[in-house]
C-alpha cells in the first residue's frame, strides 16, 4: 500500500514538475518534428542528386535547363513571350 501511494505521489510530482514528464513529452514532440524535417530534406537531397546526374549525363536535360533558367535561344528561333492580364 505504501509503495502504491509513493508511486502515485512520484507520478503526480513528475507530471506537475516542468522538468519532469511534461518536458519529456515536449522533447519527444521536438524529436518527431526534427525526424520529419530530416526525412523531407533527405528527399530534397535525393531529388537534387538526380537532377545533377541528369544535367551531367544528358545533353537534352542540360539544354532544357539552360533555356528555362537563362533564357537561351538557338540561332534562327523566334521566341514569343505571352503574358496574361
Amino acid at each position: 500500500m505504501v509503495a502504491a501511494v509513493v508511486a502515485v505521489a512520484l507520478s503526480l510530482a513528475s507530471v506537475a514538475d516542468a522538468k519532469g514528464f511534461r518536458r519529456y513529452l515536449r522533447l519527444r514532440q521536438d524529436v518527431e518534428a526534427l525526424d520529419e524535417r530530416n526525412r523531407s530534406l533527405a528527399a530534397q537531397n535525393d531529388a537534387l542528386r538526380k537532377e545533377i546526374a541528369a544535367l551531367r549525363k544528358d545533353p537534352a536535360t542540360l539544354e532544357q535547363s539552360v533555356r528555362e533558367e537563362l533564357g537561351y535561344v538557338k540561332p534562327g528561333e523566334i521566341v514569343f513571350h505571352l503574358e496574361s492580364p
Side-chain angles (χ1 to χ4, degrees):
M1 179 72 171
V2 173
V5 171
V6 170
V8 169
L10 289 175
S11 296
L12 289 175
S14 176
V15 171
D17 185 18
K19 293 182 181 178
F21 191 69
R22 288 186 299 166
R23 181 170 186 251
Y24 165 76
L25 290 177
R26 184 173 32 84
L27 290 174
R28 193 167 133 203
Q29 289 174 344
D30 290 347
V31 167
E32 290 174 4
L34 290 172
D35 284 342
E36 178 60 34
R37 178 146 168 79
N38 282 343
R39 283 190 293 274
S40 173
L41 291 172
Q44 285 179 332
N45 284 342
D46 189 43
L48 290 172
R49 279 189 200 99
K50 288 178 182 178
E51 183 180 351
I52 289 168
L55 290 170
R56 286 182 177 163
K57 295 177 183 177
D58 185 17
T61 303
L62 180 60
E63 180 182 342
Q64 178 185 358
S65 179
V66 168
R67 286 169 166 267
E68 288 175 0
E69 293 183 27
L70 301 177
Y72 278 30
V73 179
K74 287 183 178 180
E77 285 185 334
I78 299 173
V79 177
F80 295 95
H81 291 282
L82 304 175
E83 296 181 16
S84 60

